[in-house]
Amino acid sequence: MQYNLPSTNKMSIVEAIHWHTKKLPKYPNMEKLVNDKYQNEYKAALLRWKKELNRKALAKRNQFLKAKKQPRVTST
């Protein structure tokens, strides 16, 4: 079953977090998906989505930390 979760590749990290915290509770058929026979499948799909978002956020964090550690070039 397809749940039409947004692609984390097409969203910024902030947009994805906003969608998860603000839009997900208002998601169409949310109550039906959670309480219906597809409950475990939906939870698994949402967990995959959250893991992908976490992977993307950690990669961005590591990229920031790596850039921060590099010495600055100053001209004299």
Side-chain angles (χ1 to χ4, degrees):
M1 178 173 242
Q2 184 70 344
Y3 297 106
N4 296 324
L5 298 173
S7 171
T8 57
N9 293 329
K10 296 180 181 177
M11 305 172 90
S12 72
I13 295 169
V14 173
E15 290 170 333
I17 292 171
H18 178 265
W19 180 86
H20 183 263
T21 57
K22 301 291 182 188
K23 304 286 185 182
L24 183 62
K26 299 175 186 175
Y27 202 66
N29 300 321
M30 169 62 118
E31 188 174 325
K32 183 179 185 324
L33 288 172
V34 172
N35 296 325
D36 202 4
K37 64 182 179 179
Y38 300 111
Q39 177 181 8
N40 291 334
E41 291 176 21
Y42 178 73
K43 285 182 179 180
L46 187 57
L47 181 60
R48 284 190 302 273
W49 186 88
K50 288 180 179 182
K51 285 182 177 182
E52 178 59 29
L53 175 60
N54 189 51
R55 183 204 58 76
K56 183 177 178 180
L58 287 175
K60 190 72 167 178
R61 177 180 180 265
N62 289 337
Q63 180 184 14
F64 172 77
L65 291 175
K66 184 179 178 183
K68 190 175 178 180
K69 287 182 182 179
Q70 292 179 354
R72 293 184 180 175
V73 177
T74 58
S75 51
T76 56

